[in-house]
Amino acid sequence: MAKKVKIGFYNDEGVLLSALKVLRHKDIKIHNVFTPYPVHGLDDIIGLKKSRLPIVAFIVGALGAFGAMGFQIWSLALDWTINIGGKPGLAIPSFVPITFEIMVLSGSLSMVAVFFLRNRLFPKLKVDNIIDPRATNDHYVVSIDPECCSDFNSNELENILKETGAIEIQDKEVIE
Amino acid sequence: MHDESKREPLVHSVSSLGQITEEVSKPLNERPNKVWYIYFGISLALLLFGAISLYFTLFEGIGTWGNNKSVGWAFAITNFVFWVGIGHAGTFISAILLLFRQKWRNSINRSAETMTIFAVICAAIFPVIHLGRPWLAAWFLPYPNSRNLWVNFNSPLLWDVFAISTYFTVSLVFWYIGMVPDFATLRDQTKNKIKKKIYSLISINWNGSAQSWSRHEIVSLVLAGLAAPLVLSVHSIVSTDFATSVIPGWHTTIFPPYFVAGAIFSGFAMVLTLMIIIRKVFNFDKYITLYHFEQMTKVIILTGSLVGLAYSTEFFVAWYSGNGFELFAFVNRATGPFWWAYWIMVTCNVVSPQLFWFKKIRTSIPAILILSILINVGMWFERFVIVVTSLHRDFLPSSWTDFSATWVDAGLFIGSFGLFFTLFLLFIRVGPYVSIAEVKDLAAKKLMRRSEDHG
Amino acid sequence: MENDKKLYWQGLEELNEDPAFLKSLEQEFPEELPIMDKILDEEVINKPSSRRSFLKKLGFGIGSATLLAACNKTPIKQAVPYLSKPEEITPGIANWYASTCMACSSSCGVLVKTREGRPIKIEGNPDSNSEGAVCAIGQASLLSLYDNHRIKEGAKIVSELKNGTGKPIEWNKVDNIITSELQKIKDKNGKIRLVSTTKVSPTTKKIISDFCKKYNAEHVTYEPISHSAIIAANKESFRDAKNTPIAVLPKYHFNEANIIVSFSADFLGTWLSPMEYTRQYVKNRKLEHIVNDKLVKKLVMARHIQFESTLSLTGSNADVRIPVKPSEERLALLLLHYTIAKKAGKSVSQDFPTTLQKSIQLKVINTAKDLWINKGHTLVISGSNDVSTQIIINDINVMLDNYGKTIDLDNYSNQMQSNDEEMIKLVDDIKKGQVEGIIFYDANPVYDYPNFPSDQLKKVSLSVSFASSFDETASIVKYICPDHHYLESWDLLEPFRGYYSLMQPTIHPIFKTRSAQESLLRWMGDSKTSYYDYIKNYFKENLASKQKKSWEQAVHDGVVKLNSLPVSKPAFIADINKAKTSILNDCKNFIKSPIEVVLYSSIGMNDGRHANNPWLLELPDPISKVTWDNYASISPKYAEKGNLKQGDIIELNLNNKIIRIPVLVQPGQAYETISIALGYGRTKAGNAGNNVGQNLYPFVRVSNETLNYDISGVSIRKVDDGYQFAQTQTYHSLRDPILKRPRGIIKETTLSEYRTDPASGNKDFLNLVTLWSERPEKNISVHAWGMIIDLNACTGCAACVISCQAENNVAVVGKDEVRKRREMHWIRIDRYYSDSPDNPEVVYQPMTCHHCDNAPCETVCPVLATTHTIDGLNHQAYNRCVGTRYCANNCPYKVRRFNWFEYTNNPKFNYNMNNPVGKLVLNPDVVVRNRGVMEKCSMCIQRIQEARLKAKNAGVKLADGDIKMACEQSCPGNAIVFGDLNDPDSRISKLYYKKFKQNRQPRVFHVLEELKTLPSLGYLTKVRNKSIIEKEG
């Protein structure tokens, strides 16, 4: 569904950060911020929760490791024990390298997969969720949802943004 | 955390973030310059030579190589280990230095990673074509089959298969994740319809929202965390190809750390070589600074010394073990028919990196270029010495042979360089060979400082 | 079935006296019918193919595969589908036929293994004179049967050469022409000569003599490498009771001799009947024998002393070897004769120069001591073809009282019956143009007689050859009437008086050939007698009465023995002084000459008649390990002096006969001598054999009415360098070249030390410590195949190499690939030198897959292509192998062989595997490996399986000795013993374990035991019988 938001453009990291502080202070709910690079400290200001992606990596990685070790043991020690150079079928030490590799592989791939899903990152010929081309280049864009801060009308909001140093203000429809 | 101000600014004279985008995307939007064409032509020629050699290898047989009944492995495996080694620097730089919060890496990690990817591709070719029956390479994979036969998980060669493929996949993902925001930037800047479509596809809907950035950071961090031990594991495993065998000169417990050190050593040398070239081709002094080179030479001094230590340790142990075969294997390396290979190795790998102790040499581009190339030569010979001189005279004198390479051997080796450079040159025509986002991160700090001074 | 006439199985038909078959034998080639008719007529052409006819065709396909494959016009009377199979033939089961090897005149009895009508392996017949030993050449002669270069279209008029292959002509036509020609020549009393190599067969001899009578022709027996001097010497030396000269070749008994002294007679390699002698020799050299399942240990062994210039196979096995120049050899012989004569109390004066080095003199005198002490149990022989020398040898043996003990003149030998005197005369006659008719039977003098007048030969009005291919002689005669290969023919042979060996066909003649004997019969006007009938009648008339065996039995056994005559001591009447003087005169020329050249026959090529045999060409010379070449061996010391090095090309000039040949620096070669092998440098042998090496026959010296193989007055100069030999071993010492540290790969001791401590020389690994806890003993209920090789019994003769090659379809890779060190032999014989390079001690070590219980190769194979079987074998699954070569790298013994190229159907490797005829030799039980796979000794797994099945079907337990490895069965020294190490009663267990599974015999050792690979292949220490004096001096 489309959503009407007000967006303000900034062109300096410092200004952006201070602006965001002001907005928070005026408890204007910040709908989203778009930056050309990861701006540090942003998360706390707009109150993003820490991502739980590493947990995925850990669980799937662990599963991968167990699977790999298990398969090696099963295939060489249980399914069909062949005398290989007089070594015991159950040769755990020589199963370690592959176990490790599989762990890393499954862990990282799964995490990345989930990362794509959660951010709805899929190949599209026509991208639809771009706030503004400049947001990936040299501008920092703050979008505010007018509905969630009813004690300001849109003009007041624009003024506030201007005061905080926004160089430009627009109304825009974004897709949730 | 280090105090950036104390250091030579990493990104010279960047007036605005937009400028970075422009400069990085500039070569992508205009025809390449003459230098590029020259390099590309040469690389293609080398690649063609490789292709011809490959044809003979595949249609006539491995017999077209110089290998014989005692020297079962020679050039192919040497090249394999060599390229895998090269492939170590990229991930090392992007992963381990990321973990250590080495900001200076930001402007070079993309090209380093790219190098890794292509180096590993070159490496991966050799184990396949060195097979007597390459068309059966799939038998390395434990897939359910009518023979109910799995694979031999005791074989280091099989460990290689998993190590290399994992390393390649993870590096590839890491590389791509890093590039997504840059693709987005390019997507939003380009005027060209088709390019836009393509960039839209590969930038998978990236919009740079705070949420995605924070996840992006986490993912990069965790990937780095996983990739770091991976880097160390890969060459350790490659080293077990030799370390777990019974052949004197191969059967050596210090191989894993020794190989890892060697890998990073050669990798950094290769990064340096490439950086210096790109820097010339696209005059990138802004992003790739002397400071980077200096940092890398320091890593080289360290790893180079480690390698030197390894050589001497090997010799000491060979003597101290009291094992006649072992001792002979090493004395034979230094004084046998392949003494020249051994001494090339020693001079290039042990002597030359030590020159970097001198600030003068450390900060002179030509010197760095020459030494980095020397180190690459040395590292190739290290692998050659390990593989060939150990095999050609092992236990039974009756089976001692010599080894002389054929033009096909040479062709495949040269061809692999052709492939590497062709891929690399193509990439810097179509991809963001400098991480736009990360450089902006650096630049923004300075810009911000400036703006604060003003008001 | 209406058409049960089985033609391929000639041999067997005979046993069953199949009348139809005998009829078909009467006319040499019955009227021809197109192959397919009988089977595939109406049924196929008119009616839609029925299941039945399909099966017939199928069966036909299999049945006649061999002949079809041979794709030639052999008239097949009927092709019989194996649906109606001959009762003896079961597809997949081998048939064995007793026959006789005709690769040389030794005539060793053989058993020929045939599969679906193809001989695929030649093995020794245990009942025969050579007791089941067949040399490398003998076994390889199988491949010559399938030589694609043989004449396929029958008789030819060579003089009308069209593209060098002559004009085919019907047999009856050629018979008419030749008969009339012969008649013409006879009518005007022209000279007709029949030149043949040694004919051991009484029947053949009879036919020849009849032929000679008919056309008053003369038969000249000729051997390119002649030993006629022995016969001539005996003729001069001995008189029997009736005072008639005893002009025979004696039968030797090496097993009776405690001291064997040989003057450059290579009796283990190429001299007279080497396999037979090796068997005898080893009997007295082995220290462990299994006598009716008991292990008997001996503490005595024969001493073998060798004086020679070339390091021969025999010399390399000698306990004491004295490298001498031909000149010194003569003086040494005279000195020995003198010393012994003195001991014998004869009044002799030392009337010869004592220029001999003191050290050699000392050795000669010691030798004399040894001989005299063992009087009556010694044997002194000489390889020289000089009559006087042989007379001296005879006198020595007489004085030593060896006649009747180690030398037997009564049950004489018929091998090597050449007569140089007659041959020399014949050549004169040809030169003079006096010969008008000449027939060559197995003789190729144009190639192998010194300066044979081939231009005059062209002028001879009738010249015929029985050669089976266009060899040097056959290609300039007028008619060629190709003879069968011996595996296609019947014959009756008498290698020794009273000992008969039968030869029977093992395959229907592949090409339109005809046995030479039949050709002769035809030309004598006998239009129908088959040679088969001829020998059968001969048997009935001459042998049937003298012994019990029926003809059938005889053919089945392949051997007929009459009781041997009591040995007598003939009177010695030769003039010693005359002999001495002639030797000394001869000696003078040598002493003048700066370099003395010795021509010898090599193990692989011998006299060169098998030169087109890829197996033999690629057989590494036991000493030099060179393949595909002959070379000038010089001693290291001489190389230094004349600053020559290996690979230099020198030019030999013997009064303007010039030969260029590469130099090989050969330890043990006598100083200032050059040795070169004969039998190389063929120009018309065939694809494989042409222009391999140099032909040295022109250098052979004709003097004193014999052909002599040591030459003086040769001048040499270096003309080029950098020649690369195709050598399979290039490092020859067990000490590494840099640190000079010994490698305990071979354990050696001397007899005296062995007497005091059986474990001497083998102490290193008696109490080997291990880091790992010993695994519990493997399941005893199953087999544990193992092999033991007695280094004392291994003479290095390389018979095993060829045997393995034939058994396991090992590919021939050619000179260049061997140069690249890519030979494919599954068993190789490592040869190491020790002591001084001027006179090294040589030791041989057959090396094949060790089938390690902790096999390093298995662990590293990523795809499980090589794994271990429960009965202790190291398997290689070719079709699983992807060819990483990791296993070969990790094999400490380097016994794995990789298929670098496709060796079959590949024009680049144009040997037997590249033509349909040559491929008939392949053993159907063994996979032909393709490009890119690793291969190695499989412990003849196919033989193990075969024996197992046999035992299983018979419902009996697999007995020890049921399974014989290819190498094992071919070993003339019985050095190799294969068996079950889990069976306490097996021979191998007895040889291996002192106390079963507890501790092993003192002589047993493994190679690289410290690696803990636990090989299944063990060795017994090499024991040398050096006398005390030897060690001091």
Side-chain angles (χ1 to χ4, degrees), chain B residues 293-410:
Chain B
F293 295 151
E294 212 178 330
Q295 296 305 75
M296 287 192 271
T297 51
K298 285 173 187 163
V299 178
I300 285 182
I301 295 175
L302 172 68
T303 49
S305 314
L306 280 174
V307 169
L309 176 66
Y311 294 164
S312 38
T313 314
E314 273 187 323
F315 247 98
F316 171 76
V317 171
W319 164 76
Y320 190 66
S321 66
N323 178 334
F325 296 118
E326 192 74 16
L327 179 56
F328 173 74
F330 284 94
V331 177
N332 181 49
R333 279 182 189 178
T335 63
F338 289 102
W339 62 270
W340 48 272
Y342 183 82
W343 291 110
I344 291 177
M345 166 187 106
V346 171
T347 30
C348 295
N349 296 353
V350 182
V351 181
S352 55
Q354 300 307 325
L355 296 176
F356 282 134
W357 285 107
F358 306 104
K359 177 107 186 163
K360 249 195 169 36
I361 297 174
R362 205 159 67 223
T363 50
S364 127
I365 303 281
I368 296 174
L369 182 63
I370 292 162
L371 287 177
S372 66
I373 290 170
L374 278 184
I375 289 167
N376 280 312
V377 174
M379 284 312 288
W380 188 86
F381 272 101
E382 177 193 299
R383 278 59 174 256
F384 179 82
V385 165
I386 291 170
V387 174
V388 173
T389 62
S390 307
L391 284 175
H392 88 122
R393 288 178 166 185
D394 65 344
F395 290 103
L396 302 191
S398 68
S399 299
W400 288 2
T401 67
D402 290 346
F403 168 80
S404 56
T406 64
W407 67 269
V408 180
D409 284 317

Side-chain angles (χ1 to χ4, degrees), chain C residues 829-845:
Chain C
I829 302 175
D830 291 350
R831 185 265 304 112
Y832 296 107
Y833 300 127
S834 51
D835 276 15
S836 82
D838 299 326
N839 185 20
E841 283 181 354
V842 184
V843 59
Y844 296 100
Q845 184 174 46

Side-chain angles (χ1 to χ4, degrees), chain B residues 240-254:
Chain B
T240 57
D241 284 349
F242 310 105
T244 62
S245 80
V246 301
I247 302 302
W250 282 14
H251 184 74
T252 315
T253 43
I254 67 162

Side-chain angles (χ1 to χ4, degrees), chain C residues 63-329:
Chain C
S64 58
T66 64
L67 291 177
L68 286 186
C71 69
N72 61 80
K73 321 224 167 8
T74 312
I76 298 168
K77 187 122 178 298
Q78 289 109 339
V80 185
Y82 272 170
L83 294 180
S84 53
K85 74 173 190 65
E87 68 203 84
E88 319 80 3
I89 309 308
T90 317
I93 304 294
N95 287 58
W96 292 81
Y97 299 109
S99 188
T100 309
C101 173
M102 270 294 115
C104 73
S105 65
S106 308
S107 329
C108 305
V110 295
L111 299 174
V112 183
K113 180 184 187 184
T114 68
R115 276 289 299 272
E116 289 86 39
R118 301 177 287 124
I120 59 165
K121 183 95 168 60
I122 292 178
E123 301 193 353
N125 180 352
D127 310 338
S128 75
N129 55 333
S130 61
E131 299 166 58
V134 186
C135 67
I137 293 178
Q139 298 190 59
S141 63
L142 167 69
L143 190 56
S144 306
L145 166 68
Y146 301 117
D147 186 347
N148 197 34
H149 196 254
R150 282 175 66 192
I151 293 165
K152 301 185 171 124
E153 308 89 340
K156 291 199 169 184
I157 308 174
V158 187
S159 42
E160 297 175 27
L161 279 172
K162 52 174 206 215
N163 58 52
T165 62
K167 175 156 163 276
I169 175 173
E170 290 303 319
W171 280 104
N172 49 9
K173 291 212 190 74
V174 82
D175 289 344
N176 298 337
I177 300 170
I178 293 175
T179 322
S180 56
E181 287 275 343
L182 287 167
Q183 197 56 46
K184 265 198 237 110
I185 299 168
K186 182 193 175 189
D187 295 344
K188 55 181 161 95
N189 308 328
K191 279 189 184 162
I192 300 174
R193 296 284 181 271
L194 191 151
V195 186
S196 80
T197 50
T198 310
K199 288 297 151 207
V200 187
S201 153
T203 47
T204 310
K205 279 188 209 152
K206 189 160 177 299
I207 289 178
I208 291 176
S209 61
D210 294 352
F211 176 84
C212 291
K213 263 194 222 75
K214 187 170 183 347
Y215 293 108
N216 39 31
E218 276 176 28
H219 175 207
V220 177
T221 312
Y222 157 70
E223 286 285 344
I225 295 173
S226 168
H227 298 83
S228 69
I230 300 177
I231 301 172
N234 288 346
K235 187 173 170 193
E236 280 190 42
S237 305
F238 300 114
R239 292 284 181 278
D240 66 5
K242 288 188 251 45
N243 198 33
T244 47
I246 309 179
V248 296
L249 193 70
K251 190 180 199 321
Y252 295 97
H253 298 284
F254 287 79
N255 49 330
E256 301 296 328
N258 300 342
I259 307 287
I260 300 164
V261 178
S262 159
F263 287 85
S264 65
D266 184 10
F267 60 88
L268 296 177
T270 54
W271 190 70
L272 302 179
S273 183
M275 284 299 107
E276 185 190 343
Y277 300 153
T278 308
R279 275 269 196 264
Q280 300 173 348
Y281 176 80
V282 167
K283 285 202 185 96
N284 242 1
R285 301 278 294 175
K286 268 180 125 168
L287 294 168
E288 273 98 353
H289 296 263
I290 305 273
V291 184
N292 40 40
D293 330 343
K294 290 257 170 303
L295 180 70
V296 179
K297 288 193 180 183
K298 292 206 303 189
L299 287 177
V300 292
M301 63 190 267
R303 273 191 85 211
H304 170 194
I305 300 152
Q306 182 93 358
F307 295 81
E308 62 180 7
S309 318
T310 317
L311 176 55
S312 69
L313 185 74
T314 311
S316 70
N317 283 285
D319 300 305
V320 183
R321 179 177 174 275
I322 302 109
V324 287
K325 303 175 199 173
S327 53
E328 296 170 333
E329 183 182 325

